[in-house]
Amino acid sequence: MTRRHGLSLLLAVALVSGCTEREQTQARQQKRQFQIVMETKLTQLEERTDALARDPADTVAVAHAGEIADLQRSQREFRAKVASLADAPESQWSEAKTILESEYLGLEKRYAELTDTVRQQSVIVNSDSLGMEGR
């Protein structure tokens, strides 16, 4: 191998490793940004869930305390998964992102279904208490 070919090979290896390093840095940055967004969304969801659980005037919400507690437990488990993303290899980041996004949407859906149930039952309870039953 001539010196020129050796330098070309060395340059090619350096460029490839530079791309890999650059891609890894970019993946780390994307992963961190995703963590921040997920943590923010989760905090907002937790606050809404906690507000539902704390509403002592809503006897229907109290009747669903077990479901609310299960949702809160799932939210804590999800938060731990998001936190563990920092340790995940960049090569698995895309797959982890897809899984976490799906799990978060599941949490949102559970919250929406729970609040819909509580609202519907609250309307029934409130209309019954106003003597509107059977009208």
Side-chain angles (χ1 to χ4, degrees), residues 76-87:
R76 286 189 300 274
E77 290 170 359
F78 182 78
R79 183 171 293 285
K81 289 178 185 179
V82 170
S84 71
L85 184 61
D87 299 329

Side-chain angles (χ1 to χ4, degrees), residues 85-99:
L85 184 61
D87 299 329
E90 278 69 32
S91 61
Q92 297 173 352
W93 138 246
S94 181
E95 182 181 343
K97 177 183 178 202
T98 302
I99 291 168

Side-chain angles (χ1 to χ4, degrees), residues 42-60:
L42 182 59
T43 296
Q44 293 169 350
L45 179 60
E46 288 169 333
E47 288 170 356
R48 294 191 320 255
T49 304
D50 291 346
L52 182 63
R54 283 191 313 266
D55 189 355
D58 194 340
T59 56
V60 176

Side-chain angles (χ1 to χ4, degrees), residues 24-41:
Q24 286 180 348
T25 299
Q26 185 179 16
R28 276 192 297 273
Q29 289 171 343
Q30 289 174 345
K31 187 169 61 170
R32 184 63 193 135
Q33 288 172 339
F34 177 78
Q35 270 185 289
I36 291 167
V37 168
M38 277 289 124
E39 288 169 351
T40 301
K41 285 181 170 185

Side-chain angles (χ1 to χ4, degrees), residues 52-120:
L52 182 63
R54 283 191 313 266
D55 189 355
D58 194 340
T59 56
V60 176
V62 172
H64 291 278
E67 293 172 73
I68 294 170
D70 286 343
L71 179 57
Q72 290 171 321
R73 181 187 42 74
S74 295
Q75 291 169 345
R76 286 189 300 274
E77 290 170 359
F78 182 78
R79 183 171 293 285
K81 289 178 185 179
V82 170
S84 71
L85 184 61
D87 299 329
E90 278 69 32
S91 61
Q92 297 173 352
W93 138 246
S94 181
E95 182 181 343
K97 177 183 178 202
T98 302
I99 291 168
L100 289 172
E101 285 174 328
S102 177
E103 285 186 32
Y104 177 78
L105 291 175
L107 290 174
E108 278 280 355
K109 182 179 178 188
R110 282 176 60 195
Y111 172 79
E113 289 170 351
L114 184 58
T115 56
D116 285 347
T117 299
V118 168
R119 276 192 212 118
Q120 289 171 0

Side-chain angles (χ1 to χ4, degrees), residues 1-7 9:
M1 182 183 303
T2 66
R3 181 182 163 134
R4 183 176 180 174
H5 288 331
L7 288 175
L9 181 60

